[in-house]
Amino acid sequence: MPTVVRNTPRTDLEVVDGLARAGVATVHEAQGRTGLLRSDIRPIFRPVRVAGNALTCEVAPGDNWSIHVAVEQARPGDFLVVTPTSPCEDGYLGDLLAESLRARGVRGVVIDAGVRDVASLTEMGFPVWSKAISAQGTVKETPGNVQTPITCAGALVWPGDVIVADDDGVVVVRREQAAAVLEGAQSREANETSKRKRLADGELGLDIYDMRGRLADKGLRYTDYADPR
Amino acid sequence: MPTVVRNTPRTDLEVVDGLARAGVATVHEAQGRTGLLRSDIRPIFRPVRVAGNALTCEVAPGDNWSIHVAVEQARPGDFLVVTPTSPCEDGYLGDLLAESLRARGVRGVVIDAGVRDVASLTEMGFPVWSKAISAQGTVKETPGNVQTPITCAGALVWPGDVIVADDDGVVVVRREQAAAVLEGAQSREANETSKRKRLADGELGLDIYDMRGRLADKGLRYTDYADPR
Amino acid sequence: MPTVVRNTPRTDLEVVDGLARAGVATVHEAQGRTGLLRSDIRPIFRPVRVAGNALTCEVAPGDNWSIHVAVEQARPGDFLVVTPTSPCEDGYLGDLLAESLRARGVRGVVIDAGVRDVASLTEMGFPVWSKAISAQGTVKETPGNVQTPITCAGALVWPGDVIVADDDGVVVVRREQAAAVLEGAQSREANETSKRKRLADGELGLDIYDMRGRLADKGLRYTDYADPR
Amino acid sequence: MPTVVRNTPRTDLEVVDGLARAGVATVHEAQGRTGLLRSDIRPIFRPVRVAGNALTCEVAPGDNWSIHVAVEQARPGDFLVVTPTSPCEDGYLGDLLAESLRARGVRGVVIDAGVRDVASLTEMGFPVWSKAISAQGTVKETPGNVQTPITCAGALVWPGDVIVADDDGVVVVRREQAAAVLEGAQSREANETSKRKRLADGELGLDIYDMRGRLADKGLRYTDYADPR
Amino acid sequence: MPTVVRNTPRTDLEVVDGLARAGVATVHEAQGRTGLLRSDIRPIFRPVRVAGNALTCEVAPGDNWSIHVAVEQARPGDFLVVTPTSPCEDGYLGDLLAESLRARGVRGVVIDAGVRDVASLTEMGFPVWSKAISAQGTVKETPGNVQTPITCAGALVWPGDVIVADDDGVVVVRREQAAAVLEGAQSREANETSKRKRLADGELGLDIYDMRGRLADKGLRYTDYADPR
Amino acid sequence: MPTVVRNTPRTDLEVVDGLARAGVATVHEAQGRTGLLRSDIRPIFRPVRVAGNALTCEVAPGDNWSIHVAVEQARPGDFLVVTPTSPCEDGYLGDLLAESLRARGVRGVVIDAGVRDVASLTEMGFPVWSKAISAQGTVKETPGNVQTPITCAGALVWPGDVIVADDDGVVVVRREQAAAVLEGAQSREANETSKRKRLADGELGLDIYDMRGRLADKGLRYTDYADPR
């Protein structure tokens, strides 16, 4: 039986916004290289960087009815996550639904399917990450679950998890771990800034990270082109 | 025997231009969700929106000879539709052919294969929708049909059908139905404008489209996170 | 045993820069339609056009250690070419490695795998051609060869070959043939400029290239729509 | 409005059976290398070879209702051709529908989507060519057209066209041309049998087809490994 | 930190074996069309049908170390489920690991990556469902989690869930729901047997399922070919 | 200019046959996990295992003329390796060419494109590894190189290199290294036989390969389900 779960908990928006600033690659590293969605999920415009609380939505193939149901559950700062129950590339949403989502405070959408009206969405500045761009319309015959745990593009997403999305793709952070991941991400960023300066000055990663000994242990050898042996 | 059909009928350019203004998604809906080409056919630059009369052209794999033949059949307002007789990603055309097509009044190209010189085409503002971008050149050994019915990217196209193409993809409209589809598209647009305003004001699709009763009939139930049963 | 070959020969940078000006499609034609990498290797931003001396690097799947080793071998004007020993889409490099490569004079990267931090790389203007954009990080456990011959995206690349890359993709030119290919490319360009002018004036390729007789020999026939036989 | 067209004409079964004996590759050659469906449409078991009259059926994504409608229109010797209105890999039919189709004299199915119960279908010896094998079930909410012209896997199919399918894939032959194509296929076969014997005896295609002169004209040259020039 | 969880609960093997008998399509229907893995996960030989308790294992790309760790946790009746932390097609296991798994009572493997030695595995009758067949070997540098919840081929899998796999693909059943799903599957089977008999006798699904009225309500209309209106 | 190189050296057939016995996975390991062709190159029937001397052949897309040229260069024990100059899935060869190749002593074919007449080839027992099965025929307009170095499915192949192919895929061994690789492969096999026996007896890889200490060093930890901390 299709179910809508109301009043699911969210992650604090201050933490969410901090994760947005860190960006997908850093957040993904900070939580041990986990949580990425498949890399064929791409943004419809670039550059873009946004984070929000997962508002989850399951849809039947070729049927976007649940998205209308999901809109009502949205709260400011949410990020709609849509997954079809079997693979589909149809254009599940366009500028009308985007207008409605924006009116409810939703910051973006990730969908393991297609999106349409992308010129209009780009003009609105409403970001969507999708597997396809397709004008193919959908029907309203089969409702699905809203605000239940789902897998989207290979990743497990719970309602209220944090979705961070930018030019590199999309990563999900568990609600319970969001604050800790943010802390880890921020210390990574500080560290990277200093490393980046040294690399820009011509220092080698081989030296900064002290790799030469370990490389030799692994058997790496150097030869000269003119005298290969 | 490869054949060129001369003097095929076209659709009136006023209707063609009206369909361009409506755009791919709306036109596709207005004709009952039919006529879309495969969604892996993508424009080389965005935003873009154009429509024209289909000038059809079959090519052998890795052989663009027929496109030269097709250029001569072009009339102002045409839209070149190219399909290889077996799957191929080669770059069948570049800036030289684009220059020639533009000189004959052709508005754009859709090809179920590759295109090259895309930087130059982008600079010219000459739009192409293709399956691939590839510098791979082609030969001139095997002529194919021009201005015969073809299937391109999964859709059937007759010479003189209307090709509408934008950021969302490509749709084909039968010549005989073009005026009726335009009418349907225009009334959809009027309707969408008013809906969009209501959604932007925060009204819900659930209410605008009166969906609640039908959703309940389909078994949708609501629970609360804190008290799931 | 993983090996780094030092002091491999390079192609003269004047030749390299000439090939960049000619662009991928023209260079590919000038060397007999050979040398293209697979067309799913795409630039992270457009427009872009650059050439350099191949600095080759083999990496284990999910492991970017060799890239750090390769940086030390870089010389101004080099173009890093990275290939994984088995298919992988991970984000092998981001803004830190790009900073380091740029500091050593490297002009760009082509990788038959993924790249990350693309917003930052775009801002830096550091071009990368890749199979994927993915935030997925990598480990440093298995070193690979640097400056040995490799195949990348279906093409054989020797250290010091010229890599030419633009919006159309990537082509490799053998070091020994680079000067001759440049000459051929330049004469093609001169020829194309004059052809383009004639085509823009409405002359037909059928006439410019004198194709009508050969088309008739191949059996091409013309009919009229109103009177098909 | 979804439509079922009754009493569409069929091709004579003697012609159909002759085309089955010729097989897909020969039939495709005999009609000028046209009519093939995309090569990702594969049989669920091999070896297999069958032909029948196209019984066409459009289905909504994830919805197999029309197939039930199509069964009623089936006549002995038919071949069900199913195409979804947007891309879908669901398992539209399994052993129950196969049983029903077989009871009505249908010889096989080609579907640009998925099929399930393939172990059972294999045991029954009921052949299906599909894009995917998937257990994913479908709903019955949206009827589609039956016995109207459709495109399936890139090919245009009219009701009553001949579908020929074997280990090599699927080809469609227009009803009006079926007898002529059969004749062409049979003379090709006779010719191939004699050629095959000569090739088996060690004669070269270069000589049988008298290719040496034309190859030389095209610039083919022979060198020796030990003395390359 | 990579973690191995010992002594995770399993599903009763009598229930597991009942689900195997029902098969993937029926089980998937019995739990509301959920739980399927992606359809590109295919068995290395057919026919095949098996079920077992999920023994979960995360591996680094190109690194099969965790599988050795997982073997020790295996119990009779287990089904190894392997997922790489980023997409990879390498051959993570072959006949040696299969021998070891079989010695511990493991019934089969599903892996969202590659497998090798498939001739030998086929001879052994040891079933594997995989995304690829690839001889590419792997390293042992990075351990991963064993017996933690994972997503494999788009589906969430908990240790001790039931994996059912056959010619149609793979489905996962939650441990807590396994007995109920079995019951549902068995009543579906009984129902299907009687339906199948009626269909084999030529009765139509349109009548058995009483579809004609609802089809008319949805607007389905019938016309005759000779008199289309 | 298309070139045929005559009298290229071959590898001793005793070495070739030894490599066939070792199989693809073992040979690939014995040469340091190198030389594999892309894993989408699959055999048309299974089980199968064969090796031969590479007879290389470049073809234009949709044009199989060079294969006829290559047949004349074949010697007993050769293995035809075909690569198109741009991506193509056409059926470049069928039973006629297979008959001709077999008459000249060719043992098999690997082609980074399509093959047809697979039922007939299977009946003949003539093995082909290909990217696609497609009935699509080809033309004879553009000759290509024969017996020059080529890249096929991502791997570099020199004439006279050894091609080893079985159910797992295809690997190429350099002629100069073939004897050494055979030796390595044979000692691997001996070692694997003894390991396999121990694993079948229930010994763990963790113990046989003495992995426990190194796993602990890498941070692997064990917890209990009932008491996770």
Side-chain angles (χ1 to χ4, degrees):
Chain A
M1 204 176 350
T3 301
V4 181
V5 185
R6 286 175 164 144
N7 301 314
T8 55
R10 264 76 174 179
T11 305
D12 189 273
L13 285 182
E14 223 166 299
V15 174
V16 170
D17 292 343
L19 290 166
R21 277 189 298 274
V24 172
T26 299
V27 166
H28 152 78
E29 290 285 349
Q31 63 181 351
R33 290 181 189 149
T34 61
L36 279 185
L37 277 67
R38 285 198 328 268
S39 67
D40 59 344
I41 302 293
R42 299 295 304 145
I44 58 168
F45 56 78
R46 283 175 50 193
V48 61
R49 176 173 290 194
V50 68
N53 278 297
L55 166 63
T56 69
C57 180
E58 267 186 339
V59 290
D63 188 316
N64 75 349
W65 211 5
S66 303
I67 301 181
H68 288 276
V69 176
V71 173
E72 190 178 29
Q73 305 305 315
R75 296 194 188 162
D78 277 0
F79 200 114
L80 182 67
V81 182
V82 183
T83 207
T85 52
S86 69
C88 189
E89 298 194 354
D90 291 353
Y92 275 84
L93 53 87
D95 48 20
L96 288 192
L97 270 167
E99 198 72 79
S100 185
L101 288 162
R102 192 165 63 170
R104 312 292 284 195
V106 174
R107 294 173 172 185
V109 175
V110 54
I111 177 164
D112 191 3
V115 62
R116 62 182 185 175
D117 297 333
V118 294
S120 181
L121 296 179
T122 300
E123 215 174 71
M124 288 169 68
F126 188 81
V128 178
W129 284 255
S130 71
K131 184 169 78 172
I133 292 172
S134 168
Q136 177 71 43
T138 50
V139 299
K140 286 161 188 53
E141 297 286 355
T142 309
N145 297 320
V146 171
Q147 293 289 59
T148 63
I150 62 175
T151 54
C152 181
L156 177 65
V157 180
W158 291 79
D161 283 349
V162 185
I163 303 298
V164 187
D166 64 17
D167 294 25
D168 285 346
V170 183
V171 68
V172 57
V173 181
R174 292 283 161 267
R175 184 170 56 87
E176 298 79 3
Q177 300 166 4
V181 170
L182 174 57
E183 211 171 316
Q186 286 169 337
S187 70
R188 281 191 75 88
E189 276 186 306
N191 180 34
E192 288 200 352
T193 305
S194 83
K195 287 277 165 45
R196 188 164 172 173
K197 207 192 153 319
R198 290 171 68 184
L199 293 165
D201 289 346
E203 235 181 305
L204 289 168
L206 291 181
D207 298 318
I208 294 178
Y209 305 109
D210 198 17
M211 291 168 169
R212 294 185 194 272
R214 224 178 124 238
L215 280 164
D217 291 352
K218 291 272 184 174
L220 185 71
R221 72 187 187 106
Y222 287 82
T223 70
D224 198 87
Y225 179 80
D227 176 21
R229 258 178 221 245
Chain B
M1 202 175 350
T3 301
V4 181
V5 184
R6 285 175 163 145
N7 300 316
T8 53
R10 264 76 174 178
T11 305
D12 188 273
L13 285 181
E14 222 166 302
V15 174
V16 170
D17 292 344
L19 289 166
R21 277 189 297 275
V24 172
T26 300
V27 166
H28 151 78
E29 291 285 349
Q31 65 182 349
R33 291 184 187 147
T34 62
L36 279 186
L37 277 66
R38 285 198 327 268
S39 67
D40 60 343
I41 302 294
R42 298 295 302 146
I44 59 169
F45 56 79
R46 283 174 50 194
V48 60
R49 176 173 290 194
V50 67
N53 278 298
L55 166 61
T56 70
C57 180
E58 266 186 339
V59 290
D63 189 315
N64 75 347
W65 210 4
S66 303
I67 300 181
H68 288 276
V69 176
V71 172
E72 191 179 26
Q73 305 306 315
R75 297 195 188 162
D78 277 0
F79 200 114
L80 182 66
V81 181
V82 184
T83 206
T85 52
S86 69
C88 189
E89 298 194 355
D90 292 353
Y92 276 83
L93 55 87
D95 47 20
L96 289 191
L97 270 167
E99 199 72 80
S100 185
L101 288 162
R102 192 166 63 171
R104 311 293 284 196
V106 174
R107 296 173 171 186
V109 175
V110 55
I111 177 164
D112 191 2
V115 61
R116 62 183 186 176
D117 297 332
V118 294
S120 180
L121 297 179
T122 301
E123 217 174 71
M124 287 168 68
F126 187 81
V128 178
W129 284 255
S130 71
K131 183 170 79 171
I133 292 173
S134 168
Q136 177 71 42
T138 50
V139 299
K140 287 162 187 54
E141 298 286 354
T142 309
N145 296 321
V146 170
Q147 293 288 59
T148 62
I150 60 176
T151 54
C152 181
L156 177 67
V157 180
W158 290 79
D161 282 350
V162 185
I163 303 296
V164 187
D166 64 17
D167 293 25
D168 285 345
V170 183
V171 69
V172 57
V173 181
R174 292 281 161 268
R175 184 169 58 86
E176 297 79 4
Q177 301 166 3
V181 170
L182 174 57
E183 210 171 319
Q186 285 168 337
S187 70
R188 281 190 75 87
E189 277 186 307
N191 179 34
E192 289 200 353
T193 305
S194 83
K195 286 278 164 44
R196 189 164 170 172
K197 208 192 152 320
R198 290 171 69 184
L199 293 164
D201 289 347
E203 234 181 307
L204 288 168
L206 290 180
D207 297 318
I208 295 178
Y209 305 110
D210 196 16
M211 292 168 167
R212 293 184 195 273
R214 224 177 124 239
L215 281 165
D217 291 351
K218 291 270 184 175
L220 184 71
R221 72 189 186 106
Y222 288 81
T223 69
D224 198 87
Y225 179 80
D227 175 21
R229 246 150 247 266
Chain C
M1 202 174 355
T3 301
V4 180
V5 184
R6 286 173 162 146
N7 301 314
T8 53
R10 263 76 174 179
T11 305
D12 189 273
L13 285 181
E14 223 165 299
V15 174
V16 170
D17 293 344
L19 289 166
R21 275 189 298 274
V24 171
T26 300
V27 166
H28 151 78
E29 290 285 350
Q31 62 181 351
R33 290 183 188 149
T34 62
L36 280 186
L37 276 66
R38 283 198 329 267
S39 68
D40 60 344
I41 302 293
R42 298 295 304 144
I44 58 169
F45 56 79
R46 284 174 51 193
V48 60
R49 175 172 291 194
V50 67
N53 277 297
L55 166 62
T56 69
C57 180
E58 267 186 338
V59 290
D63 188 315
N64 75 349
W65 211 4
S66 303
I67 300 180
H68 288 275
V69 175
V71 173
E72 191 179 28
Q73 305 306 316
R75 296 194 188 163
D78 278 359
F79 200 113
L80 182 66
V81 182
V82 183
T83 207
T85 52
S86 68
C88 189
E89 297 194 355
D90 292 353
Y92 275 83
L93 53 87
D95 49 18
L96 289 192
L97 270 167
E99 199 71 81
S100 185
L101 288 162
R102 192 166 64 169
R104 312 291 287 195
V106 173
R107 294 173 172 185
V109 176
V110 55
I111 178 165
D112 191 3
V115 61
R116 61 183 186 175
D117 297 333
V118 294
S120 182
L121 297 178
T122 300
E123 214 173 73
M124 288 170 66
F126 188 81
V128 178
W129 284 254
S130 70
K131 183 169 78 172
I133 293 173
S134 168
Q136 178 70 42
T138 50
V139 299
K140 287 162 187 55
E141 297 286 355
T142 308
N145 296 320
V146 171
Q147 293 289 59
T148 63
I150 61 175
T151 54
C152 181
L156 178 66
V157 181
W158 291 79
D161 283 350
V162 185
I163 303 297
V164 186
D166 64 17
D167 293 25
D168 284 346
V170 183
V171 68
V172 57
V173 182
R174 292 281 160 270
R175 183 171 55 87
E176 298 78 4
Q177 300 166 4
V181 170
L182 174 57
E183 210 171 317
Q186 285 168 338
S187 68
R188 281 190 76 87
E189 276 185 306
N191 180 34
E192 288 200 352
T193 305
S194 83
K195 287 276 164 44
R196 189 165 169 171
K197 210 193 149 319
R198 291 171 67 185
L199 293 165
D201 289 347
E203 236 179 302
L204 289 169
L206 290 181
D207 298 316
I208 295 177
Y209 304 110
D210 196 17
M211 290 168 168
R212 294 185 194 271
R214 225 178 122 238
L215 281 164
D217 291 351
K218 292 271 184 173
L220 185 70
R221 69 187 189 107
Y222 288 81
T223 69
D224 198 86
Y225 179 80
D227 175 22
R229 239 144 252 269
Chain D
M1 202 175 353
T3 301
V4 181
V5 184
R6 284 174 164 147
N7 301 314
T8 54
R10 263 76 175 179
T11 305
D12 188 273
L13 285 182
E14 221 166 302
V15 174
V16 170
D17 292 343
L19 290 166
R21 277 189 297 274
V24 172
T26 300
V27 167
H28 151 78
E29 290 284 349
Q31 64 181 350
R33 290 181 188 150
T34 61
L36 279 185
L37 277 67
R38 284 198 329 267
S39 68
D40 60 343
I41 302 294
R42 298 296 303 145
I44 58 168
F45 57 79
R46 283 174 50 195
V48 61
R49 175 172 292 192
V50 67
N53 278 299
L55 166 62
T56 69
C57 179
E58 267 187 337
V59 290
D63 188 316
N64 75 349
W65 211 4
S66 304
I67 301 181
H68 288 276
V69 175
V71 173
E72 191 179 27
Q73 305 306 316
R75 297 197 187 161
D78 278 359
F79 200 113
L80 182 66
V81 182
V82 183
T83 206
T85 52
S86 69
C88 188
E89 298 192 355
D90 291 353
Y92 275 83
L93 53 88
D95 49 19
L96 288 192
L97 270 167
E99 198 72 79
S100 184
L101 288 162
R102 193 167 61 172
R104 311 292 285 195
V106 174
R107 296 174 171 186
V109 176
V110 54
I111 178 165
D112 191 4
V115 62
R116 61 183 186 176
D117 297 332
V118 293
S120 181
L121 297 178
T122 301
E123 217 173 69
M124 288 169 67
F126 187 81
V128 179
W129 284 255
S130 70
K131 183 169 79 171
I133 292 173
S134 169
Q136 178 71 42
T138 50
V139 298
K140 287 163 186 53
E141 298 286 356
T142 309
N145 297 320
V146 171
Q147 293 289 57
T148 63
I150 61 176
T151 55
C152 181
L156 177 65
V157 180
W158 291 79
D161 282 350
V162 185
I163 303 297
V164 187
D166 64 16
D167 294 25
D168 285 346
V170 183
V171 69
V172 57
V173 181
R174 293 281 161 269
R175 184 169 57 86
E176 297 79 4
Q177 300 166 5
V181 170
L182 174 58
E183 209 171 320
Q186 284 167 339
S187 69
R188 281 190 76 86
E189 277 186 306
N191 180 34
E192 288 200 354
T193 305
S194 83
K195 287 278 164 45
R196 189 164 171 174
K197 209 192 150 320
R198 290 171 69 184
L199 292 165
D201 289 347
E203 236 180 305
L204 288 168
L206 290 181
D207 298 317
I208 294 178
Y209 305 110
D210 196 17
M211 292 168 166
R212 294 184 194 272
R214 222 176 125 239
L215 280 164
D217 291 351
K218 291 271 184 174
L220 185 71
R221 72 189 185 103
Y222 288 81
T223 71
D224 198 86
Y225 179 80
D227 175 22
R229 257 176 226 245
Chain E
M1 201 175 352
T3 301
V4 181
V5 183
R6 286 175 164 145
N7 301 314
T8 53
R10 263 76 175 179
T11 305
D12 189 89
L13 285 181
E14 222 165 300
V15 173
V16 170
D17 292 343
L19 290 165
R21 274 188 298 275
V24 171
T26 300
V27 167
H28 151 78
E29 290 285 349
Q31 63 181 351
R33 290 183 189 148
T34 62
L36 279 186
L37 277 67
R38 283 198 328 267
S39 68
D40 59 344
I41 303 292
R42 298 294 305 143
I44 59 169
F45 57 79
R46 283 174 52 192
V48 61
R49 175 173 291 195
V50 67
N53 278 297
L55 166 62
T56 70
C57 181
E58 267 187 338
V59 291
D63 189 315
N64 74 349
W65 211 3
S66 303
I67 300 181
H68 288 275
V69 175
V71 173
E72 191 179 26
Q73 305 306 315
R75 295 194 188 163
D78 278 0
F79 201 113
L80 183 66
V81 182
V82 183
T83 207
T85 52
S86 68
C88 189
E89 298 194 355
D90 292 353
Y92 275 83
L93 54 87
D95 48 20
L96 288 192
L97 270 167
E99 199 71 81
S100 185
L101 288 162
R102 193 166 63 170
R104 311 293 285 195
V106 173
R107 295 173 172 186
V109 176
V110 54
I111 178 165
D112 190 2
V115 61
R116 62 182 185 176
D117 297 333
V118 294
S120 182
L121 297 178
T122 301
E123 215 173 71
M124 289 169 67
F126 188 82
V128 178
W129 284 255
S130 70
K131 182 169 79 172
I133 292 172
S134 168
Q136 178 70 41
T138 50
V139 299
K140 287 162 187 52
E141 298 286 354
T142 308
N145 296 320
V146 171
Q147 293 289 58
T148 63
I150 61 176
T151 54
C152 181
L156 177 66
V157 181
W158 291 79
D161 282 351
V162 185
I163 303 297
V164 186
D166 64 17
D167 293 25
D168 284 346
V170 183
V171 69
V172 57
V173 181
R174 294 281 161 268
R175 184 170 55 88
E176 298 80 3
Q177 301 166 3
V181 170
L182 174 58
E183 210 170 318
Q186 285 168 338
S187 69
R188 282 190 74 87
E189 277 186 306
N191 179 34
E192 289 200 352
T193 305
S194 83
K195 287 277 164 46
R196 188 166 171 172
K197 212 195 149 319
R198 290 170 69 184
L199 293 164
D201 289 347
E203 237 181 302
L204 288 169
L206 290 181
D207 298 317
I208 295 178
Y209 305 111
D210 196 16
M211 292 168 166
R212 294 185 193 272
R214 222 177 126 238
L215 281 164
D217 291 351
K218 291 272 184 174
L220 185 70
R221 68 186 189 108
Y222 287 81
T223 70
D224 197 86
Y225 178 80
D227 175 21
R229 241 145 252 274
Chain F
M1 201 176 351
T3 301
V4 180
V5 184
R6 286 175 164 146
N7 300 315
T8 54
R10 263 76 174 179
T11 305
D12 189 272
L13 284 181
E14 223 165 301
V15 174
V16 170
D17 293 343
L19 290 166
R21 277 189 296 274
V24 172
T26 300
V27 167
H28 151 78
E29 290 286 348
Q31 63 181 351
R33 289 182 189 148
T34 62
L36 279 185
L37 277 67
R38 286 198 327 267
S39 68
D40 60 344
I41 302 293
R42 298 295 303 144
I44 58 168
F45 56 80
R46 282 174 51 193
V48 60
R49 175 173 291 194
V50 67
N53 278 297
L55 166 63
T56 69
C57 180
E58 267 187 337
V59 290
D63 188 315
N64 75 349
W65 210 3
S66 303
I67 300 180
H68 288 276
V69 176
V71 173
E72 190 178 28
Q73 305 306 314
R75 295 194 189 163
D78 278 0
F79 200 114
L80 183 66
V81 182
V82 183
T83 206
T85 52
S86 69
C88 189
E89 298 194 356
D90 292 353
Y92 275 82
L93 54 89
D95 49 19
L96 288 192
L97 270 167
E99 198 72 79
S100 185
L101 288 162
R102 192 166 63 170
R104 312 292 285 195
V106 174
R107 295 174 172 185
V109 175
V110 55
I111 178 165
D112 190 4
V115 62
R116 62 182 184 175
D117 297 332
V118 295
S120 182
L121 297 178
T122 301
E123 214 173 71
M124 289 169 67
F126 188 81
V128 178
W129 284 254
S130 71
K131 183 169 79 173
I133 292 173
S134 168
Q136 177 71 42
T138 50
V139 300
K140 287 162 188 50
E141 297 286 355
T142 309
N145 297 319
V146 171
Q147 293 290 58
T148 63
I150 61 175
T151 55
C152 181
L156 178 64
V157 180
W158 291 78
D161 282 350
V162 185
I163 302 298
V164 187
D166 65 16
D167 294 24
D168 285 346
V170 184
V171 68
V172 56
V173 181
R174 293 282 161 269
R175 183 171 55 89
E176 299 79 4
Q177 300 166 5
V181 170
L182 173 58
E183 212 171 315
Q186 285 168 338
S187 70
R188 282 190 74 89
E189 276 186 307
N191 180 35
E192 288 200 353
T193 305
S194 83
K195 286 278 165 45
R196 187 164 172 173
K197 207 193 152 321
R198 291 171 67 184
L199 293 165
D201 289 347
E203 237 181 303
L204 289 169
L206 290 180
D207 298 317
I208 295 177
Y209 305 109
D210 197 16
M211 290 168 168
R212 295 186 193 272
R214 221 177 126 239
L215 280 165
D217 291 352
K218 292 272 184 173
L220 185 71
R221 72 189 186 105
Y222 288 81
T223 69
D224 198 86
Y225 179 80
D227 175 23
R229 243 147 250 271

